[in-house]
Amino acid sequence: MSTTEVSTAPTGTRPSDPKPPRTRRPRTFEQANRRLKWAMLTPALLFVGLMIVFPLAFTLDLSLTDAFGAVNADKAHIGLRNFTEALGDTRRFWPAARRTLIFTVGAVLLETVLGLALAMLMRKSFRGMRWVRTVLIIPLLTTPVAIGILWLLILDPTNGIANHLLASVGLPRQEFLGSVSQSLPTLMLIDVWQWTPMMTLLLLAGLTTLPEEPEEAALVDGANSWQRFRYIILPMLGPTLAAALVLRAVDALKTFDILYATKGPGGGSDFEVETLNVYAYGLTFDYQEYGLAAAVLVLFTLFIIGVVVLLRRRGGRKNA
């Protein structure tokens, strides 16, 4: 006969309740990913911030001094004297600012119009499109200095192929880069030749993302090609067009190498293509007026910021 042992707790006592385990707040994958992202980005952001803030601070401090001859030479802070001298210079500073504006506006407008036209033509696939795109980006693959030397040879007044072609069709020879009056327009056309492909690719990328339904509906309603472009395609392409304009305008404002490669120091014998970049370079490396050059660069930076703000505001109004 089997017996069953029953264990009983002592009378008057209760089994102790187990303590609930400490629950940690669950960490979601998004929270962990966000922390990891900032942990990975912080060193790069600090490095980029240092590389931006230090040169700007050094240039701003240098612009308030009378530094001359050597950057590490003894210098004294003279306040805003360099800025007043630059702004009062009607012989070099203001003509350079005017040329910078003319070069930027003229080149960017031509590049935008031609780039948009080429993008519209390349919007639909056709035979040989890959070859056309390959040829189109060749100017973008060439360095500006090499482009300047190439066009110097092409536009040479005596032996250049451009004048030979003009003479073959009965047109008079031109001085091109050898002329004071023709140098700036010629360089604007060279810039258009080099950078129109970039505008074409940017606008073509924007065109390929546009929905086709609005244009098809307008076609059903009887709208012609111009009406579809003017009232359907162009408004939808507005954000891409505004971004391309800002990028290209900022880049055109900073143009230096092709100007220096073709015309040399001072932008020519009569400063005919001297922009603010060329002017600041001459003050720095030709005249060693570091304080004045830094002031010109600060003013130039403010000028670029003003242009960007203006373009973004105009683009925002058009897109509203």
Side-chain angles (χ1 to χ4, degrees), residues 198-218:
M198 188 193 78
M199 294 295 289
T200 302
L201 296 177
L202 290 175
L203 297 177
L204 182 60
L207 286 172
T208 56
T209 62
L210 298 182
E212 298 181 358
E213 290 79 7
E215 189 176 357
E216 293 175 352

Side-chain angles (χ1 to χ4, degrees), residues 176-188 263 267 272-273:
F176 294 116
L177 294 173
S179 169
V180 173
S181 60
Q182 295 180 4
S183 292
L184 189 61
T186 301
L187 284 168
M188 289 167 57
K263 299 297 293 184
E272 57 266 23
V273 299

Side-chain angles (χ1 to χ4, degrees), residues 1-7:
M1 183 174 180
S2 62
T3 60
T4 303
E5 295 182 358
V6 178
S7 60

Side-chain angles (χ1 to χ4, degrees), residues 234-257:
L234 198 57
M236 291 192 299
L237 192 63
T240 303
L241 186 60
L245 276 173
V246 171
L247 291 174
R248 184 66 203 110
V250 171
D251 199 35
L253 284 169
K254 300 184 298 182
T255 301
F256 168 78
D257 32 20

Side-chain angles (χ1 to χ4, degrees), residues 132-144 146-147 150-151 190-198:
V132 173
R133 289 187 177 183
T134 302
V135 173
L136 193 66
I137 66 174
I138 289 178
L140 298 177
L141 303 178
T142 311
T143 61
I147 289 176
L150 172 65
W151 282 99
I190 295 175
D191 190 83
V192 170
W193 175 84
Q194 182 182 11
W195 294 108
T196 295
M198 188 193 78

Side-chain angles (χ1 to χ4, degrees), residues 8-319:
T8 59
T11 57
T13 62
R14 297 178 58 187
S16 58
D17 298 332
K19 293 183 179 180
R22 296 180 60 184
T23 59
R24 301 181 63 181
R25 186 177 180 180
R27 178 183 295 180
T28 63
F29 176 78
E30 289 78 9
Q31 291 175 334
N33 190 31
R34 190 181 303 113
R35 294 181 181 181
L36 179 62
K37 177 184 69 175
W38 283 110
M40 299 293 289
L41 286 177
T42 298
L45 292 176
L46 290 176
F47 177 77
V48 173
L50 181 63
M51 295 301 293
I52 293 176
V53 172
F54 175 75
L56 288 177
F58 179 78
T59 303
L60 183 59
D61 179 72
L62 193 65
S63 67
L64 302 175
T65 67
D66 58 353
F68 177 81
V71 178
N72 57 356
D74 294 335
K75 52 184 178 293
H77 283 79
I78 57 175
L80 301 177
R81 190 184 306 171
N82 288 324
F83 292 92
T84 57
E85 181 179 349
L87 293 174
D89 183 7
T90 58
R91 178 175 173 268
R92 298 283 296 275
F93 179 82
W94 287 111
R98 179 178 59 84
R99 294 186 201 100
T100 304
L101 187 60
I102 292 174
F103 179 88
T104 301
V105 173
V108 172
L109 283 180
L110 283 175
E111 290 159 7
T112 302
V113 173
L114 294 176
L116 184 57
L118 290 173
M120 290 297 296
L121 291 175
M122 299 172 60
R123 187 184 182 192
K124 303 296 183 182
S125 299
F126 56 88
R127 182 178 298 179
M129 187 173 182
R130 292 183 178 179
W131 291 102
V132 173
R133 289 187 177 183
T134 302
V135 173
L136 193 66
I137 66 174
I138 289 178
L140 298 177
L141 303 178
T142 311
T143 61
V145 174
I147 289 176
I149 297 174
L150 172 65
W151 282 99
L152 274 176
L153 298 175
I154 294 175
L155 302 176
D156 184 83
T158 305
N159 300 316
I161 189 175
N163 273 323
H164 285 292
L165 293 175
L166 291 177
S168 65
V169 295
L171 295 177
R173 291 176 173 267
Q174 303 295 324
E175 293 293 328
F176 294 116
L177 294 173
S179 169
V180 173
S181 60
Q182 295 180 4
S183 292
L184 189 61
T186 301
L187 284 168
M188 289 167 57
L189 293 177
I190 295 175
D191 190 83
V192 170
W193 175 84
Q194 182 182 11
W195 294 108
T196 295
M198 188 193 78
M199 294 295 289
T200 302
L201 296 177
L202 290 175
L203 297 177
L204 182 60
L207 286 172
T208 56
T209 62
L210 298 182
E212 298 181 358
E213 290 79 7
E215 189 176 357
E216 293 175 352
L219 182 61
V220 171
D221 292 337
N224 56 33
S225 299
W226 169 251
Q227 290 172 336
R228 295 197 304 271
F229 172 76
R230 172 65 180 83
Y231 298 105
I232 303 297
I233 297 176
L234 198 57
M236 291 192 299
L237 192 63
T240 303
L241 186 60
L245 276 173
V246 171
L247 291 174
R248 184 66 203 110
V250 171
D251 199 35
L253 284 169
K254 300 184 298 182
T255 301
F256 168 78
D257 32 20
I258 195 170
L259 302 177
Y260 196 86
T262 54
K263 299 297 293 184
S269 57
D270 199 33
F271 312 115
E272 57 266 23
V273 299
E274 184 182 58
T275 60
L276 287 176
N277 265 330
V278 179
Y279 178 49
Y281 181 90
L283 287 175
T284 303
F285 296 101
D286 295 336
Y287 302 105
Q288 288 82 44
E289 296 187 19
Y290 299 109
L292 182 59
V296 171
L297 290 175
V298 171
L299 293 172
F300 188 35
T301 303
L302 296 176
F303 179 68
I304 294 177
I305 294 174
V307 171
V308 172
V309 171
L310 180 62
L311 289 175
R312 290 182 64 88
R313 285 186 177 181
R314 291 182 64 88
R317 291 174 184 174
K318 290 181 178 180
N319 296 330

